[in-house]
Amino acid sequence: MTQTPAPLLPERAAQLAAEFGLKPDEYDRVLAILGRSPSLTELGVFSVMWSEHCSYKSSRVWLRGLPTKAPWVIHGPGENAGVIDIGDGLAAIFKMESHNHPSFIEPYQGAATGVGGILRDVFTMGARPIANLNALRFGMPEAPRMKRVIDGVVRGIGGYGNCVGVPTVGGEVNFHPAYNGNPLVNAMTVGIAPKDRIFLSAAAGIGNPVVYVGSKTGRDGIHGATMASAEFSSDSEEKRPTVQIGDPFVEKLLIEACLELMATDMIVAIQDMGAAGLTSSSVEMAGKGGVGIELVLDNVPQREAGMSAYEMMLSESQERMLMILKPGREAEAEAIFRKWELDFAVIGHLTDTGRITIRHQGKLEADIPLAPLESEAPLYRRPTAETPKQKVLDAAAITDPVGPAAALETLVGSLDLCSRRWIWDQYDSMVGGQTARRPGAADAAVVRVEESLEKGGARALAMTTDCTPRYCAADPEEGGKQAVAEAWRNLTAVGARPLAITDNMNFGNPEKPEIMGQFAAAVRGMAAACTALDFPVVSGNVSLYNETEGRAILPTPAIGGVGVLEQVGQAVGLSLTPGLDLVLIGETRGWLGQSLWLREIAGREEGAPPPVDLAAERRNGDFVRARILAGEVRACHDLSDGGLLVGLAEMAMAGGCGATLLPIPAGLPAHAFWFGEDQGRYVLAVADGAALLAAAAAAGVPAMKLGRSGGEALALAEGPSISVASLRAAHEATLPALMAES
Amino acid sequence: MKAAIILFPGTNRERDMALALQRATGHRPPLLWHRDTELPSGLDLVVLPGGFSYGDYLRCGAMAAQSPIMQAVKEFAAKGGHVLGVCNGFQMLVEAGLLPGALLRNASLRFLSMDCHMRVERADTPYTSRFQRGQVFRATMAHGDGNYFADAATLDRLEGDGLVALRYATPSGEVTEAANRNGSARSIAGILSPNLRVLGLMPHPENQVDPEIDGTDGLPLFESLAGSFAAA
């Protein structure tokens, strides 16, 4: 057996390093660590581990600014997913992750494997997944290929989630030309585990077996992580072989087999093989545990003959897990995986060398010290440029060309506000039998925790995904703040106590100072909101280089929020019913900058976005939640995109019930009052409006009576009645009409 | 009532079904493994639950219909046992020859996940005795291949013999094309065997059994079953 891996010729190695995305100074570090020219496999390992996607080299210095702690946080960032205590001895485990680049190249498989990957991040920690959500950004439907992307992404998310039997309960979608060449697919999974049975990834126990389970390894997805760390050009079609192929059936078996094994005491550590496959899982597990690892690739289950060590180490074949077992338990563990008809192979063992050694066909293919692979990994504090502030628009100086009734009909049918039914009708939101509020029924999805039910409880999780990219583009700091605040608000609006978030930071090329400036500012805003709202970040993912031919996406820090309800029956939805007083909570200043009214009705996309007053946000939200938990609220809806009249229309359409509205207060133009996007506001439908106004006054919370529900139209005091049926028709028609021919 | 649910690789609505049966009977039914070759003695009801058995990579339900336990299920049915197949379970029943016809791709060629309403066509069966004839109830549907198909002679025989149990309808009970989202022949949502003891249906009444989750529209189906065995 040879003692060092066969090195590449120096010129060839340098050339390949550049092809694999290593910068010249990064490659120099590889040479310094090894003290020789790398083998092909070694170069592959370095290039994927040091890719932006795996190393977070441009984002890490900024992400440190995010608050990650709270008394209920069990594991924050750094594990496969975040873990929080939800009571009843249970933990919620959750994370959101992007699959942007693959979803543009091959929409169905890109989106499907995005769902598969995030599911594994969650069940690898011992949780049964109970809900999937997503955050999608598409280009304009008329852009080249975009309808195919929309259709493929939706089918892919549904195809995977429906088959594995995890309900897809919520999400959000925006359309904007900035995503024409870079749609975003962010997938989130939430799971439940006993809080004293969380599985981590740090390997331990010299000599312990390294076990591979799941699907066989093929040649798909090689260098997927590298692809995800570069901009697109016109040749993106040629990158299709870097996209993985998903098999949700095998994933379902893998979930059941892993959970069955996790009910025993055989596992020392476990991690899924996600981006950079066997390389990242083995390197990270051994690295975290401070041990060495030796792999014998001949034992890796292989889908095709003649695969090289390089190919096996870089393959991103799906539905695979790596684990460290206690010694002597291999046969017992194998029996479980055989029962579920899955591959099981011992492919190595832990060593005391502190190195990863990879052997194949009797040859040493790689021999890398693990500590410097992590400690010498590049870390950049890239230059930043502040986004120029936009001016605050004066609502009175903007004329209303159409009047509120016509504006409302246009807005509810516009791309960013129209019904998402065409999408969610393709996702099974009910499987599991615990979905108490499904898409469209409330501001956040509500899923009862079956494990709580088994203990005699009826605890439920509320979940949401949120971000308003046009605000982030205009002012990344306010936009970052707003994304976190809106997630907190949506959880509050169903009555849940918001607990923690996962973030999915989607940005352009970090080597451009204006992009890095957006990133840094968004993190600042998010951190301020997380701190003010006691809403820490427990997991996350960064996706950079979302650019095509030099054009970047809008900065999109998507937030996935999770909250808890002690009793599922406490949750409220947004559907209006007759005979209730409608009360607006929060202050209305008529902020039109960056509003959808301004864009869709006045044709202008400009101005400073609405600021988020975090103290008011907290005060208003805590007040609303207390009223809901006191059982006083029949329906609740937070106000966001489109403003007050759109929010009222959404409640009316959901319930098939109109309302008679009071005259608007003096001092504000009607279009600013009805369509301004001031933050920190809710509409509550209650039996006793006067009591609510009195309670608000006592709590120092701004509140005003809006009107009373009933009838079949939204009747404005100043003008026409707008029939709920016609609003619904406009609201529901848009997406089916757009997607009809695809 | 002694019930059991069979678990196939890819089954995913077994817990929903177990909760529904538990709600109606007071106890949780056991799960049986697809490789078993016999059923426990004394069973009243076998349930084939929803999911994607074997990934639905062949025709839906076709692989599961060949699994070892299905021979025992066929013998159980032949001896007059009650078998309920929901969604993928309905697909297995037709693939196994326990019910006639086939389930094609939805007419829209898309997966459909939404509420549907079903009209109860007869209330004198072990599955429907707690409904009224003509009563309409709401249930979740979630399938890509629920478009019921059979040749005209088979459909005529089903209708003539009163074996159409459930039909897609509007909330007020009208059988219309718009209410028949998956395009099923004659709006058929569920059919019975001639002895009325095997029922296959596409929608999921097991998802509407709890007032705190999504109402109890589906509960009478499970209470009917529990009642028919309690009386026996």
Side-chain angles (χ1 to χ4, degrees):
Chain A
M1 194 169 277
T2 47
Q3 289 310 297
T4 54
L8 292 160
L9 291 173
E11 306 77 49
R12 176 71 183 139
Q15 182 198 344
L16 275 177
E19 269 178 40
F20 292 175
L22 284 170
K23 301 281 191 278
D25 59 317
E26 294 172 349
Y27 179 59
D28 287 342
R29 290 194 209 189
V30 173
L31 293 178
I33 289 169
L34 292 177
R36 58 179 165 76
S37 183
S39 70
L40 177 63
T41 304
E42 289 170 336
L43 188 60
V45 169
F46 274 102
S47 68
V48 293
M49 289 309 296
W50 289 3
S51 68
E52 188 67 58
H53 191 81
C54 291
S55 73
Y56 293 75
K57 58 192 172 189
S58 302
S59 57
R60 247 189 308 159
V61 295
W62 303 105
L63 295 174
R64 286 174 190 154
L66 292 169
T68 60
K69 293 191 165 54
W72 53 87
V73 174
I74 299 174
H75 291 289
E79 287 299 334
N80 283 300
V83 184
I84 56 172
D85 189 337
I86 60 161
D88 285 350
L90 299 170
I93 301 184
F94 64 99
K95 187 180 177 185
M96 181 155 49
E97 196 163 78
S98 63
H99 233 212
N100 303 335
H101 295 77
S103 298
F104 186 51
I105 298 169
E106 168 46 50
Y108 184 97
Q109 291 296 343
T113 54
V115 175
I118 194 62
L119 279 164
R120 285 192 296 285
D121 274 333
V122 166
F123 74 76
T124 194
M125 297 193 74
R128 177 175 286 283
I130 66 159
N132 282 331
L133 296 94
N134 51 71
L136 309 177
R137 318 284 161 189
F138 295 123
M140 300 309 275
E142 61 273 17
R145 293 182 71 237
M146 192 47 65
K147 282 188 193 173
R148 196 174 83 77
V149 170
I150 297 167
D151 185 54
V153 165
V154 171
R155 284 180 189 271
I157 290 172
Y160 208 98
N162 298 345
C163 182
V164 294
V166 176
T168 302
V169 298
E172 55 160 359
V173 190
N174 286 129
F175 297 84
H176 193 279
Y179 303 104
N180 282 357
N182 288 84
L184 304 183
V185 175
N186 297 173
M188 172 172 168
T189 295
V190 183
I192 295 289
K195 76 172 185 185
D196 55 355
R197 298 283 293 162
I198 308 295
F199 290 83
L200 303 179
S201 58
I206 307 305
N208 278 353
V210 177
V211 172
Y212 170 119
V213 296
S215 284
K216 293 182 184 355
T217 295
R219 288 192 169 99
D220 53 329
I222 291 176
H223 267 304
T226 311
M227 176 269 290
S229 304
E231 286 182 43
F232 279 149
S233 54
S234 53
D235 67 352
S236 62
E237 271 293 308
E238 292 165 22
K239 293 182 174 170
R240 279 178 67 163
T242 61
V243 178
Q244 314 84 332
I245 306 298
D247 184 345
F249 170 58
V250 170
E251 180 102 335
K252 171 66 174 164
L253 303 182
L254 196 56
I255 293 174
E256 299 303 333
C258 285
L259 291 178
E260 194 170 326
L261 183 65
M262 285 162 168
T264 72
D265 64 345
M266 292 187 241
I267 299 176
V268 175
I270 179 165
Q271 177 160 337
D272 75 301
M273 294 192 219
L278 192 49
T279 293
S280 65
S281 53
S282 57
V283 165
E284 288 173 15
M285 290 178 82
K288 278 185 189 168
V291 295
I293 189 167
E294 170 146 317
L295 301 179
V296 180
L297 298 183
D298 308 73
N299 298 336
V300 169
Q302 293 161 51
R303 198 158 65 211
E304 41 203 311
M307 289 186 72
S308 68
Y310 166 80
E311 289 170 326
M312 276 188 265
M313 290 306 291
L314 270 71
S315 162
E316 291 190 8
S317 291
Q318 298 290 291
E319 293 93 23
R320 303 178 302 160
M321 312 281 272
L322 197 66
M323 54 196 179
I324 313 298
L325 286 184
K326 290 184 182 167
R329 308 296 293 275
E330 294 90 326
E332 268 173 278
E334 180 166 5
I336 292 174
F337 284 85
R338 294 296 172 205
K339 173 185 154 192
W340 289 99
E341 301 176 37
L342 293 166
D343 273 299
F344 176 104
V346 177
I347 63 163
H349 63 276
L350 299 183
T351 67
D352 60 1
T353 61
R355 305 173 78 84
I356 179 167
T357 49
I358 297 167
R359 298 182 189 278
H360 187 222
Q361 296 178 340
K363 288 204 204 82
L364 184 64
E365 293 286 352
D367 181 6
I368 304 172
L370 286 165
L373 186 54
E374 192 198 341
S375 65
E376 297 290 306
L379 183 63
Y380 298 123
R381 189 179 191 95
R382 298 191 187 275
T384 59
E386 285 291 315
T387 305
K389 293 279 182 211
Q390 301 212 28
K391 71 174 198 299
V392 175
L393 301 184
D394 174 12
I398 303 165
T399 49
D400 175 2
V402 297
L408 182 62
E409 289 217 27
T410 303
L411 283 169
V412 297
S414 68
L415 275 176
D416 273 351
L417 289 172
C418 68
S419 169
R420 273 66 179 124
R421 186 181 305 278
W422 180 86
I423 296 173
W424 76 58
D425 274 357
Q426 300 183 55
Y427 301 155
D428 187 345
S429 57
M430 297 300 286
V431 60
Q434 305 294 340
T435 307
R437 290 291 183 286
R438 58 176 118 173
D443 283 353
V446 177
V447 177
R448 185 174 60 190
V449 177
E450 193 179 344
E451 291 78 358
S452 169
L453 192 65
E454 285 163 7
K455 295 180 172 196
R459 211 164 271 270
L461 294 184
M463 296 158 280
T464 179
T465 58
D466 294 288
C467 180
T468 312
R470 63 182 190 280
Y471 295 174
C472 298
D475 184 336
E477 184 165 351
E478 281 303 321
K481 222 188 262 180
Q482 194 273 344
V484 173
E486 189 175 347
W488 188 85
R489 204 181 298 149
N490 279 325
L491 299 176
T492 294
V494 299
R497 184 163 63 90
L499 292 176
I501 62 170
T502 178
D503 60 17
N504 202 143
M505 309 291 288
N506 307 276
F507 289 78
N509 181 347
E511 296 162 46
K512 295 180 181 168
E514 61 274 23
I515 300 289
M516 213 59 237
Q518 290 174 342
F519 190 95
V523 169
R524 268 201 313 276
M526 288 164 58
C530 290
T531 303
L533 302 172
D534 280 328
F535 201 31
V537 179
V538 295
S539 59
N541 171 249
V542 177
S543 171
L544 301 174
Y545 296 96
N546 289 292
E547 299 202 7
T548 294
E549 291 171 354
R551 282 191 299 277
I553 58 163
L554 304 182
T556 311
I559 303 298
V562 174
V564 69
L565 283 145
E566 289 186 10
Q567 296 289 329
V568 68
Q570 295 170 322
V572 298
L574 60 80
S575 295
L576 204 54
T577 49
L580 299 172
D581 287 335
L582 295 168
V583 175
L584 172 66
I585 300 294
E587 195 184 357
T588 299
R589 291 154 62 192
W591 194 283
L592 288 178
Q594 296 300 334
S595 67
L596 286 179
W597 182 90
L598 190 70
R599 187 177 87 190
E600 301 294 327
I601 305 299
R604 295 160 60 179
E605 208 171 332
E606 60 182 78
V612 180
D613 175 343
L614 291 169
E617 186 76 52
R618 174 95 198 217
R619 185 193 60 213
N620 297 356
D622 287 347
F623 174 77
V624 167
R625 187 180 321 102
R627 304 273 64 82
I628 294 172
L629 295 181
E632 295 166 14
V633 180
R634 305 289 179 78
C636 179
H637 188 24
D638 91 299
L639 296 181
S640 51
D641 280 350
L644 175 55
L645 198 56
V646 167
L648 284 166
E650 288 168 344
M651 296 176 79
M653 289 186 286
C657 168
T660 302
L661 302 172
L662 297 170
I664 68 168
L668 273 182
H671 55 288
F673 178 74
W674 288 125
F675 302 109
E677 296 185 3
D678 303 277
Q679 298 294 298
R681 297 187 301 161
Y682 305 78
V683 173
L684 274 58
V686 296
D688 186 349
L692 179 61
L693 291 172
V701 169
M704 65 178 280
K705 188 165 177 199
L706 290 169
R708 194 162 169 82
S709 64
E712 291 176 350
L714 284 179
L716 300 181
E718 295 79 12
S721 280
I722 311 157
S723 118
V724 176
S726 70
L727 285 174
R728 246 189 193 169
H731 189 56
E732 295 292 347
T734 307
L735 281 187
L738 267 176
M739 300 306 296
E741 66 271 34
S742 64
Chain B
M1 176 176 69
K2 197 170 166 197
I5 300 170
I6 301 181
L7 193 58
F8 299 88
T11 291
N12 66 24
R13 261 188 165 88
E14 75 280 9
R15 287 175 304 138
D16 316 38
M17 183 58 76
L19 282 171
L21 288 166
Q22 185 173 7
R23 203 160 262 276
T25 65
H27 49 262
R28 203 173 169 96
L31 296 176
L32 306 180
W33 189 238
H34 65 108
R35 283 191 194 284
D36 293 350
T37 50
E38 47 191 83
L39 300 173
S41 61
L43 274 189
D44 298 312
L45 172 73
V46 169
V47 183
L48 308 178
F52 286 67
S53 56
Y54 296 91
D56 283 352
Y57 290 145
L58 194 57
R59 285 188 322 280
C60 304
M63 295 280 287
Q66 303 301 319
S67 21
I69 203 163
M70 283 304 284
Q71 193 52 44
V73 172
K74 286 184 202 174
E75 288 163 15
F76 176 73
K79 286 188 215 145
H82 290 69
V83 183
L84 170 63
V86 175
C87 199
N88 199 216
F90 185 16
Q91 294 163 340
M92 291 174 205
L93 288 175
V94 299
E95 287 289 342
L98 285 169
L99 291 173
L103 291 144
L104 310 180
R105 294 243 70 195
N106 294 340
S108 66
L109 304 183
R110 287 186 187 278
F111 191 94
L112 296 175
S113 170
M114 54 188 58
D115 280 350
C116 66
H117 289 84
M118 288 179 283
R119 191 176 75 190
V120 177
E121 298 295 280
R122 57 186 291 180
D124 57 345
T125 81
Y127 298 92
T128 56
S129 59
R130 296 286 168 96
F131 291 105
Q132 302 294 317
R133 179 158 182 267
Q135 187 179 335
V136 176
F137 70 104
R138 181 174 63 87
T140 295
M141 67 180 205
H143 56 247
D145 303 75
N147 178 357
Y148 185 73
F149 174 83
D151 58 42
T154 304
L155 292 171
D156 289 343
R157 180 176 64 74
L158 285 171
E159 307 252 23
D161 295 349
L163 301 180
V164 176
L166 302 164
R167 249 187 258 272
Y168 298 109
T170 64
S172 57
E174 293 160 84
V175 173
T176 65
E177 207 168 310
N180 179 19
R181 294 297 297 265
N182 58 26
S184 288
R186 304 191 190 175
S187 289
I188 289 174
I191 55 172
L192 291 154
S193 61
N195 69 357
L196 309 181
R197 293 185 173 185
V198 179
L199 172 68
L201 76 163
M202 285 312 295
H204 293 282
E206 72 273 24
N207 281 154
Q208 279 74 34
V209 296
D210 187 336
E212 292 207 310
I213 298 300
D214 193 32
T216 55
D217 264 37
L219 195 54
L221 189 144
F222 300 96
E223 289 173 340
S224 299
L225 276 167
S228 50
F229 291 105

